Amino acid sequence: MKINTLLSMFAPKDVKFFPMLEETASVLSQSSTYLQELFSCENAEHRNELCKLIKAEEVKGDKVTGSIIHELNNTFITPFDREDVHALADVMDDVIDTINRCAQKVLLYQPTSFPQHTITLVEIIKKGSDEILNAANELSNIKKTDLRLRAHCKEIKRLEEEADVVYEEAIMSLFKGATNNTYSAVELIKLKEIIQELEKAVNKINSTGKVITTILVKYA
Amino acid sequence: MKINTLLSMFAPKDVKFFPMLEETASVLSQSSTYLQELFSCENAEHRNELCKLIKAEEVKGDKVTGSIIHELNNTFITPFDREDVHALADVMDDVIDTINRCAQKVLLYQPTSFPQHTITLVEIIKKGSDEILNAANELSNIKKTDLRLRAHCKEIKRLEEEADVVYEEAIMSLFKGATNNTYSAVELIKLKEIIQELEKAVNKINSTGKVITTILVKYA
Amino acid sequence: MKINTLLSMFAPKDVKFFPMLEETASVLSQSSTYLQELFSCENAEHRNELCKLIKAEEVKGDKVTGSIIHELNNTFITPFDREDVHALADVMDDVIDTINRCAQKVLLYQPTSFPQHTITLVEIIKKGSDEILNAANELSNIKKTDLRLRAHCKEIKRLEEEADVVYEEAIMSLFKGATNNTYSAVELIKLKEIIQELEKAVNKINSTGKVITTILVKYA
């Protein structure tokens, strides 16, 4: 603590974390773009390709997060508290991991079709990811961008509430469909797990919004 | 640490955490009362109402837990260690969240019936929740109530062991029922998830008992 | 920190953690031996017995891990950082818990047969567990055994990659089997959960390898 305070008098404000956090957010946004493409794609081969691209983004995300944590362990001064950088990197990495798991489940389960609700959930994931990307790009200038940052966080929260309703409808209509034999029990199992994974992605996006809100409260 | 010790000589023992912990326990107990009502209710509309009431308790629980953590961050002196208050608030909130997830699954999946095993599990959840409430009400006077507190913790542990047996029977009989076509595969999926969520609630109640036991060992 | 450094000048290097970590690893290895037996056993009664033996190992594992953590809280000097001992004990305990959950699912669900993929996954779990046991036995002499330790960690990573492929094939062939009516939907539910639990065990073994690698980087 004392060392930190002392050094901060002599050292310039360390800004190398911002580009890294922005890179993570950009990987996140790219993953969600591929995911949206995956859910509108009917060609099996192209689906496989998209899943591989998402997996590649996940590997990239792991690498950037790893670098961030490595840097954190070797840096005295951070633009905002060490734990906040860590939390933000971690939670964005969680989103990327969850998006990857969504894609892998599509690849493994090969559902015969995507109900409209799943496509709506993926749209929300894409929108939420872009809010995160925009927020990440404004973090380095937090004193001036705080109003816009606040708006991004608010929109992420709104998207999560929207997704909650869609999720409930998705599950209910799935079970109704299975009872009416629109879906087989096997198809129900596939789609239920995919829908639950999509909902987890929305929740992780919402957690990211909360971390950014905490940072806003502390530093803006 | 030093500041803490110093202040404690001048400041009166801070007791505001006890009412807050008692409030959380009371929300928990109320949730479990509604849950038990839900599992004995056949009217769809009344079921929906009960699920909303449970959700409202969950929101209340979040709020109280949030206040507890906020207070912890702004208080020098606590009646027992900061981490213990935090752990107890957290784990009780986990129980409330899990009870809410049980209710939401009933709402979403709308199982055609509740097997006897699920009703027994809900009974155990209700009993365990009331043990927690009684324990929470005795915490503020721990030196005098330690014998009763110990009895509550012991009973919670016993209930968890009872639930383990019921859970195993529930799952086994469910799969047997599905093999004999007593249950459809879709009904199996619904009930299995509900039973697993009920079991999680029992486990979280047991974790609460463990946290209280730790507090007892330290302060009684 | 200062106390630690001071004491380490006078106190002999504390080595009591090594036998405890070795014991945990040995419980882990024994669990995986029973698990492999379970998956090649067709006699229902003997299966029950094996599940009980695995459960007994899990209880033993909990006890050793508990002692390790208790000792950590009462010891000034550790052979390597306190957190590393803690992390290694914890992650090995996670493997044991997951193996136990695999066995309990077999006991509860009583699948009619084990597809070849599940048997291959269990083989990988057994091999990985033995790599962990060998590594644990070499930890107390880390400066001399580092090359062998590195080899164990590398092999664990390779096994995890092998398991990833087997897992994907297992799930895909399961869903194909269910679509072709080779498996009923109920059998699919049973086997899918068992396969997913086996994969978790592999992941926890891989996490153990990562913890050992971290220790290697720090102390070898």
Side-chain angles (χ1 to χ4, degrees), chain A residues 96-107:
Chain A
I96 298 168
D97 285 350
T98 316
I99 288 177
N100 181 47
R101 269 198 300 276
C102 293
Q104 298 313 311
K105 291 211 160 159
V106 170
L107 187 67

Side-chain angles (χ1 to χ4, degrees), chain A residues 48 55 104-105 107-110 112 184-187 189-190 193, chain C residues 167-169 171-172 175-176 178-179 183-185 188-189 192 196:
Chain A
N48 285 0
K55 175 72 198 166
Q104 298 313 311
K105 291 211 160 159
L107 187 67
L108 288 184
Y109 295 177
Q110 311 220 11
T112 45
S184 70
V186 174
E187 201 65 21
I189 295 168
K190 294 177 177 182
E193 274 202 33
Chain C
Y167 169 74
E168 287 185 16
E169 287 174 1
I171 294 288
M172 284 178 111
F175 274 107
K176 268 180 207 155
T179 312
Y183 297 112
S184 70
L188 170 91
I189 294 168
K192 186 170 75 68
Q196 286 172 334

Side-chain angles (χ1 to χ4, degrees), chain A residues 37-156:
Chain A
E37 231 177 303
L38 177 67
F39 274 76
S40 66
C41 164
E42 308 224 338
N43 178 293
E45 208 176 312
H46 188 44
R47 272 200 198 174
N48 285 0
E49 221 172 281
L50 286 162
C51 288
K52 273 183 205 157
L53 287 167
I54 292 172
K55 175 72 198 166
E57 292 297 321
E58 191 253 353
V59 172
K60 222 188 276 177
D62 272 355
K63 219 176 266 179
V64 192
T65 314
S67 310
I68 293 175
I69 288 160
H70 182 262
E71 281 299 323
L72 278 176
N73 290 336
N74 292 289
T75 306
F76 276 115
I77 307 144
T78 65
F80 35 79
D81 278 340
R82 179 177 299 270
E83 310 90 75
D84 293 315
V85 176
H86 201 300
L88 183 55
D90 262 1
V91 77
M92 287 197 292
D93 198 42
D94 282 352
V95 180
I96 298 168
D97 285 350
T98 316
I99 288 177
N100 181 47
R101 269 198 300 276
C102 293
Q104 298 313 311
K105 291 211 160 159
V106 170
L107 187 67
L108 288 184
Y109 295 177
Q110 311 220 11
T112 45
S113 70
F114 292 120
Q116 179 56 43
H117 289 114
T118 62
I119 292 168
T120 310
L121 283 173
V122 171
E123 258 171 42
I124 293 175
I125 290 169
K126 172 69 192 142
K127 281 183 198 165
S129 301
D130 288 343
E131 295 294 333
I132 292 175
L133 178 59
N134 289 332
N137 288 333
E138 285 163 7
L139 269 184
S140 62
N141 206 2
I142 197 166
K143 302 250 178 239
K144 292 198 177 153
T145 58
D146 64 319
L147 284 180
R148 261 171 296 157
L149 274 166
R150 241 169 260 279
H152 295 309
C153 293
K154 214 176 146 186
E155 175 63 6
I156 288 171

Side-chain angles (χ1 to χ4, degrees), chain C residues 15-65:
Chain C
V15 292
K16 73 178 158 242
F17 288 108
F18 291 125
M20 293 167 100
L21 290 169
E22 287 165 19
E23 196 183 338
T24 312
S26 141
V27 169
L28 196 170
S29 166
Q30 184 60 59
S31 299
S32 73
T33 304
Y34 289 143
L35 189 75
Q36 198 170 19
E37 232 176 302
L38 177 67
F39 274 76
S40 67
C41 165
E42 309 223 337
N43 178 292
E45 209 177 311
H46 188 43
R47 272 200 197 173
N48 285 1
E49 222 172 280
L50 286 162
C51 288
K52 273 182 205 156
L53 287 167
I54 291 172
K55 175 73 197 165
E57 293 297 320
E58 191 253 354
V59 173
K60 223 188 277 179
D62 271 358
K63 219 177 265 176
V64 192
T65 314

Side-chain angles (χ1 to χ4, degrees), chain B residues 2-3 33 53 59 132 146 156 169 217:
Chain B
K2 272 174 200 168
I3 293 173
T33 304
L53 287 168
V59 173
I132 291 175
D146 64 319
I156 288 172
E169 286 173 2
V217 170

Side-chain angles (χ1 to χ4, degrees), chain B:
Chain B
M1 275 296 223
K2 272 174 200 168
I3 293 173
N4 233 321
T5 316
L6 193 69
L7 278 179
S8 71
M9 291 196 243
F10 300 100
K13 211 176 179 194
D14 189 333
V15 292
K16 73 177 157 243
F17 288 108
F18 290 126
M20 293 168 100
L21 290 169
E22 286 166 20
E23 196 184 339
T24 312
S26 142
V27 169
L28 196 171
S29 166
Q30 184 60 60
S31 300
S32 72
T33 304
Y34 289 142
L35 190 75
Q36 200 171 18
E37 231 176 302
L38 177 67
F39 274 77
S40 67
C41 165
E42 308 223 339
N43 178 293
E45 208 176 312
H46 187 43
R47 273 200 198 174
N48 284 1
E49 221 173 280
L50 285 162
C51 288
K52 273 183 204 156
L53 287 168
I54 291 173
K55 175 72 197 165
E57 292 298 320
E58 192 254 352
V59 173
K60 223 189 278 178
D62 271 356
K63 219 177 265 177
V64 192
T65 314
S67 311
I68 292 176
I69 288 161
H70 181 261
E71 282 298 322
L72 277 177
N73 290 337
N74 292 289
T75 306
F76 277 115
I77 306 143
T78 65
F80 34 80
D81 279 340
R82 178 176 300 270
E83 309 90 74
D84 294 315
V85 176
H86 201 300
L88 184 53
D90 262 1
V91 78
M92 287 197 292
D93 198 42
D94 282 351
V95 180
I96 298 168
D97 286 349
T98 316
I99 287 176
N100 180 47
R101 270 198 299 275
C102 293
Q104 299 313 312
K105 291 211 158 158
V106 170
L107 187 68
L108 288 185
Y109 296 177
Q110 311 219 13
T112 45
S113 71
F114 292 120
Q116 180 56 44
H117 288 115
T118 62
I119 292 168
T120 311
L121 283 173
V122 171
E123 258 171 43
I124 293 175
I125 290 169
K126 172 68 191 141
K127 282 183 196 164
S129 301
D130 289 344
E131 294 293 334
I132 291 175
L133 178 59
N134 289 332
N137 288 333
E138 286 163 7
L139 268 184
S140 62
N141 206 2
I142 198 167
K143 301 251 178 238
K144 292 198 178 155
T145 58
D146 64 319
L147 284 181
R148 261 173 295 159
L149 274 166
R150 242 169 259 279
H152 295 309
C153 294
K154 215 176 146 186
E155 176 63 6
I156 288 172
K157 195 170 161 34
R158 197 198 58 75
L159 286 167
E160 198 254 349
E161 284 161 13
E162 193 183 321
D164 266 1
V165 178
V166 181
Y167 169 75
E168 287 185 16
E169 286 173 2
I171 294 288
M172 285 178 111
S173 99
L174 194 64
F175 275 107
K176 267 180 207 154
T179 312
N180 304 339
N181 293 318
T182 314
Y183 298 114
S184 70
V186 174
E187 201 64 20
L188 170 92
I189 294 168
K190 293 176 177 182
L191 290 171
K192 187 171 75 67
E193 274 202 33
I194 290 169
I195 292 168
Q196 287 172 333
E197 203 70 46
L198 292 172
E199 204 233 354
K200 268 188 212 159
V202 176
N203 287 341
K204 292 293 178 189
I205 288 171
N206 193 35
S207 302
T208 308
K210 283 185 188 171
V211 173
I212 298 173
T213 304
T214 308
I215 292 173
L216 263 167
V217 170
K218 282 201 201 167
Y219 307 94

